[in-house]
Amino acid sequence: MTTIPSRIPSRRPAPVDLLVHGGDVLTVDEAGTVVPDGAVAVRDGEIVEVGPAEELRARYAAADTLDATGCLVLPGLVNAHTHLAMTLLRGRADDVTLQGFLERVLRWESELLSADNVATAIRVAIAESVRAGVTSALDMYWFHEAAERVAREAGWRLHTGPTFMDVPDAADGIAYEDRLEWARRDLAGRTRRPGTRPVLFAHSAYTLSPEQLTGIGALAREFGALLHIHAAENATEVATVEVRHGKRPVELLDSLGLLGPDLLLAHAVDLTGAEIAALARTGTSVAHCPVSNLKLGCGIAPVPRMLSAGVTVGLGTDGAVSANTLDVLRALGLAALVHKADGDPTAVGAEQAVRMATIEGARALGLGAELGSLEAGKRADLIVLDLSGPHLAPRHDLWSTLAYAARADDVRDTLVDGRVLMRDRTLTTLDEGAALGDLAALVSRSGLV
Ligand SMILES: [Zn+2]
């Protein structure tokens, strides 16, 4: 007797590590696809498939599951400019100008900083970020090796590397003339992991000479590294650079041949039309930091003009001394509001602001192919937002919900590389109580209180 084979071969479910299922999946792909009652299948830290929950439940056998029913699943937020360890000084330099702020902070840093103290502060900063749904950050600071160690232990994605700032008494004790070699050794020793790239930080055109900037740029190019720099943060900075070098910061960077797709500017508040055109022409990206810019009275970056010129704009919080928060959702909300102040309510719409906090931030870092949206082949950096709060009801438009109504404490689960770092609002890889205790002890030891 022969059996007649079924016309539809029964396929055994494919094994995956995790299935996040139920809830609406806001993919933030090019088309802005939303999958109602959707699912995301994850294997080896990578998204295998995004689709209707019913189909993915049948197609995959998951070792672990996360029920997102009644929630919104979206890409993890990307903090495109911060100084995480400055959490140590949160609330210590408020209501001052940028220049007054820098004066105070630089003095404290040279007295306070050590690898251990940076590690203590970073632990709290990562806890705050994970709670706020931030899955990666571009972090410019001293003692980046200590920061990387803590981030690795927590399973969190930190984009960092050597920083250049020619100031007396560098906080890490490395003399300026030794820094290029130190940075070269750092870059040479790195292995490329998915969702990361080498990074170099040049603090600014007012703490580095044109020759120093050129040398740092050459080193970045040699290793295919992203170069990140503060530029045109306020009018005083622009005037300082102009008096010293006869050119505004962006003009100076352009004349040195440093603009390009591997350069990311932080702030870019004080720009001329010609400078915006130069950023667009060269593919230079910008990290917009509205909270910090407003608090330091720096002004409002010309984001609508940059966007219409085609400049890639991500969102940053800046450090917790200048912005007092690492909450990217807050920056997102402000980015969607502050540009309307000139009288145009269409400036930076809700969807545009959400994209800036996700895929555009990833693109600004040169990692748009690996991060920033929920698509097969990308890293599984995603968050689950609890939509049950009254402040989120009803939901006519998910972009609007995120930009104008959602809060950091609505984030329920945070995943990086498919690993759950926060499950049901409990951190799974960081001892938050111990981290806060260590920070409090450090602050009281340091004489800051
Ligand atoms: Zn900054």
Side-chain angles (χ1 to χ4, degrees):
M1 200 177 90
T2 53
T3 49
I4 299 163
S6 158
R7 286 182 57 198
I8 306 163
S10 68
R11 264 190 294 167
R12 199 177 296 197
V16 289
D17 300 323
L18 177 72
L19 190 69
V20 181
H21 64 104
D24 295 333
V25 180
L26 184 71
T27 62
V28 196
D29 64 3
E30 269 325 292
T33 307
V34 180
V35 187
D37 191 15
V40 182
V42 178
R43 189 190 299 126
D44 296 331
E46 189 180 295
I47 297 172
V48 177
E49 189 174 354
V50 180
E54 203 183 328
E55 287 178 22
L56 267 62
R57 280 191 207 106
R59 205 168 296 154
Y60 298 103
D64 187 15
T65 57
L66 201 61
D67 185 349
T69 306
C71 298
L72 176 63
V73 181
L74 70 149
L77 307 176
V78 177
N79 191 345
H81 176 71
T82 189
H83 315 280
L84 293 174
M86 290 181 97
T87 298
L88 177 59
L89 296 167
R90 185 182 346 237
R92 288 295 296 186
D94 295 341
D95 308 331
V96 293
T97 63
L98 170 63
Q99 282 67 29
F101 165 89
L102 287 168
E103 236 166 69
R104 290 190 200 193
V105 167
L106 287 174
R107 182 164 42 83
W108 286 325
E109 284 179 334
S110 68
E111 287 167 13
L112 271 178
L113 290 187
S114 64
D116 284 350
N117 291 356
V118 163
T120 299
I122 285 271
R123 221 165 263 127
V124 173
I126 293 178
E128 179 185 355
S129 299
V130 169
R131 286 202 170 280
V134 180
T135 49
S136 72
L138 181 62
D139 184 40
M140 176 196 289
Y141 212 56
W142 311 103
F143 298 104
H144 68 280
E145 303 96 330
E148 283 185 304
R149 180 171 48 76
V150 174
R152 210 167 26 246
E153 285 164 8
W156 197 65
R157 193 181 306 287
L158 187 71
H159 310 284
T160 194
T163 292
F164 291 82
M165 186 178 188
D166 190 7
V167 286
D169 304 322
D172 59 8
I174 301 171
Y176 191 85
E177 49 277 20
D178 298 329
R179 296 189 91 81
L180 269 178
E181 253 332 289
W182 162 74
R184 176 184 296 281
R185 278 197 305 277
D186 181 285
L187 293 177
R190 282 176 188 265
T191 42
R192 178 83 201 267
R193 287 180 303 115
T196 65
R197 68 179 294 197
V199 190
L200 279 185
F201 299 94
H203 178 268
S204 62
Y206 58 93
T207 57
L208 293 161
S209 69
E211 295 71 31
Q212 289 169 334
L213 288 169
T214 303
I216 300 161
L219 184 63
R221 258 194 301 275
E222 190 183 325
F223 285 89
L226 172 73
L227 181 60
H228 185 41
I229 185 167
H230 292 104
E233 187 169 354
N234 70 1
T236 310
E237 179 209 312
V238 171
T240 304
V241 173
E242 208 168 12
V243 165
R244 246 184 246 169
H245 306 297
K247 291 188 176 73
R248 299 163 52 86
V250 173
E251 286 176 347
L252 179 68
L253 295 171
D254 197 10
S255 72
L256 297 174
L258 292 174
L259 297 187
D262 291 321
L263 184 71
L264 172 58
L265 309 182
H267 304 300
V269 172
D270 191 323
L271 297 180
T272 62
E275 287 168 331
I276 293 172
L279 298 183
R281 172 174 46 79
T282 55
T284 307
S285 301
V286 166
H288 174 40
C289 306
V291 179
S292 169
N293 295 159
L294 288 172
K295 180 157 172 278
L296 287 164
C298 291
I300 298 174
V303 170
R305 285 163 61 208
M306 287 195 263
L307 292 175
S308 49
V311 177
T312 299
V313 181
L315 278 181
T317 58
D318 212 349
V321 204
S322 54
N324 303 55
T325 173
L326 304 172
D327 179 354
V328 172
L329 260 181
R330 184 147 180 240
L332 190 173
L334 259 187
L337 288 176
V338 77
H339 303 287
K340 296 170 169 57
D342 286 341
D344 177 8
T346 69
V348 187
E351 178 172 344
Q352 230 164 3
V354 173
R355 288 185 175 279
M356 283 161 63
T358 53
I359 184 65
E360 296 304 317
R363 283 187 182 135
L365 268 62
L367 291 166
E370 296 166 73
L371 305 174
S373 63
L374 302 183
E375 295 176 89
K378 287 198 166 185
R379 303 311 296 167
D381 289 10
L382 62 90
I383 60 177
V384 179
L385 202 97
D386 179 358
L387 294 176
S388 64
H391 60 289
L392 301 179
R395 292 178 296 281
H396 295 297
D397 178 314
L398 290 169
W399 304 103
S400 158
T401 298
L402 279 171
Y404 299 121
R407 304 190 296 236
D409 58 7
D410 295 320
V411 177
R412 193 193 72 175
D413 314 296
T414 300
L415 286 72
V416 172
D417 271 334
R419 186 172 174 201
V420 185
L421 307 191
M422 179 168 75
R423 190 184 280 258
D424 208 10
R425 294 190 170 85
T426 301
L427 303 188
T428 59
T429 59
L430 258 176
D431 184 339
E432 199 174 17
L436 288 167
D438 290 348
L439 183 68
L442 166 58
V443 168
S444 84
R445 263 201 323 274
S446 67
L448 278 172
V449 287

